Amino acid sequence: MRRIKKGPEPACLKDLRETPGADWSSVSGAQRREMRKQANDEQGGLCAYCMSLIPQSNKPLEPPDNTSMKIEHFEARNASRAKMFDWSNLLGVCIGDVGIEGGGESDQQARYHCDTYRGHLKVTEQGLDLNPAAFPPDIGERFSYTVSGEARTSQRFEPAERDKVERMIARLNLNLPRLRRNRAAVIGLLRRELQKKPTLARVKELLQDASAPGAKGLLRPYCQVAIHYLQKKLRQL
């Protein structure tokens, strides 16, 4: 997971807050599109939770459609109505159900991740402790990743802080096998690159590539995994 730097809220949120009796069902398609556009730009096209690349529109300047991106309430609407239209509480997330195909209901639920997965948990088990859009702390520093792609909590923090990360990993199903394979592939590519040219300059070059968005404003999928791995390499050189 990575820190998200929120910009000014979409104009539609102020309109919604000032509309008597407005709730989430009041949000129009155009307003949802406006939110998806801003969230997609702020997040470099990545899901706020798993950091997979959200499928982008083929139309210039159009955001991902509602079959590719959802607007997620970090604090659920039923838990905090006051934050229903608070931009700091709204994140762009993937659909969260790409994985195994077919099977019974239990198999289908096992493939879920991110907001889709936690939405199937008991209400008392859905809460998350660390908002990627809140700073401090920098949520990216709270996570670590093994070469096999497993997401873990960083051991640099106190047990209570590590527990928060462990709950997020569990409640978002971030160690789903598909996600682990994808993160492992990122690390595997970096290892092969550094075997070719194991220099400090090359590590810094790869770190810059992982940290900066490309020409279309998109970050590399699972970029924080690469950043974590390369920062560790820098400390070892």
Side-chain angles (χ1 to χ4, degrees), residues 27 40 78 162 169 187 199 227:
V27 183
N40 191 62
N78 59 10
R162 297 201 300 268
I169 292 171
I187 294 174
T199 65
I227 290 170

Side-chain angles (χ1 to χ4, degrees), residues 47 50 52 55 66-70 93-102 107-117 120 172-173 176 178-179:
C47 172
C50 70
S52 62
N66 60 7
T67 66
S68 301
M69 173 190 271
K70 296 187 291 184
V93 297
C94 66
I95 299 303
D97 62 355
V98 180
I100 64 172
E101 297 180 358
D107 289 335
Q108 291 172 354
Q109 185 168 339
R111 79 187 186 187
Y112 296 152
H113 55 87
C114 299
D115 167 61
T116 302
Y117 183 83
H120 284 77
L172 297 170
N173 203 20
L176 183 77
R178 182 180 65 86
L179 295 178

Side-chain angles (χ1 to χ4, degrees), residues 2 4 8 25 28 30 39 41 45 56-57 85 100 103 110 126 137 141-142 198-200 211 235:
R2 60 180 291 275
I4 296 168
S25 65
S28 69
D41 291 346
Q56 301 292 300
S57 172
F85 300 125
I100 64 172
Q126 291 182 8
E141 297 177 353
R142 296 302 200 265
T199 65
L200 178 62
S211 304
R235 293 192 294 268

Side-chain angles (χ1 to χ4, degrees), residues 7-172:
E9 69 174 15
C12 65
L13 289 176
K14 182 174 183 292
D15 295 338
L16 287 162
R17 286 195 300 271
E18 293 177 350
T19 302
D23 60 18
W24 199 246
S25 65
S26 308
V27 183
S28 69
Q31 290 169 327
R32 292 173 192 264
R33 186 163 57 250
E34 184 181 355
M35 291 184 220
R36 291 197 305 273
K37 174 69 168 65
Q38 185 148 335
N40 191 62
D41 291 346
E42 290 176 351
Q43 296 170 203
L46 304 186
C47 172
Y49 291 144
C50 70
M51 299 183 294
S52 62
L53 181 64
I54 292 173
Q56 301 292 300
S57 172
N58 292 325
K59 300 177 181 178
L61 304 179
E62 277 291 308
D65 63 27
N66 60 7
T67 66
S68 301
M69 173 190 271
K70 296 187 291 184
I71 295 297
E72 146 85 334
H73 289 79
F74 177 78
E75 291 188 33
R77 300 193 301 273
N78 59 10
S80 181
R81 288 188 60 84
K83 292 189 176 182
M84 184 181 301
F85 300 125
D86 181 343
W87 188 234
S88 67
N89 190 51
L90 300 177
L91 305 170
V93 297
C94 66
I95 299 303
D97 62 355
V98 180
I100 64 172
E101 297 180 358
E105 182 176 350
S106 61
D107 289 335
Q108 291 172 354
Q109 185 168 339
R111 79 187 186 187
Y112 296 152
H113 55 87
C114 299
D115 167 61
T116 302
Y117 183 83
R118 81 158 170 155
H120 284 77
L121 300 176
K122 296 178 182 178
V123 173
T124 55
E125 297 174 356
Q126 291 182 8
L128 302 174
D129 298 291
L130 298 170
N131 184 344
F135 179 82
D138 186 331
I139 197 168
E141 297 177 353
R142 296 302 200 265
F143 282 76
S144 66
Y145 305 92
T146 68
V147 293
S148 65
E150 181 183 0
R152 293 181 176 178
T153 180
S154 173
Q155 295 300 308
R156 295 188 292 125
F157 299 94
E158 295 297 319
E161 291 299 308
R162 297 201 300 268
D163 288 345
K164 293 177 182 179
V165 175
E166 293 294 345
R167 279 193 295 272
M168 293 193 74
I169 292 171
R171 293 179 179 184
L172 297 170

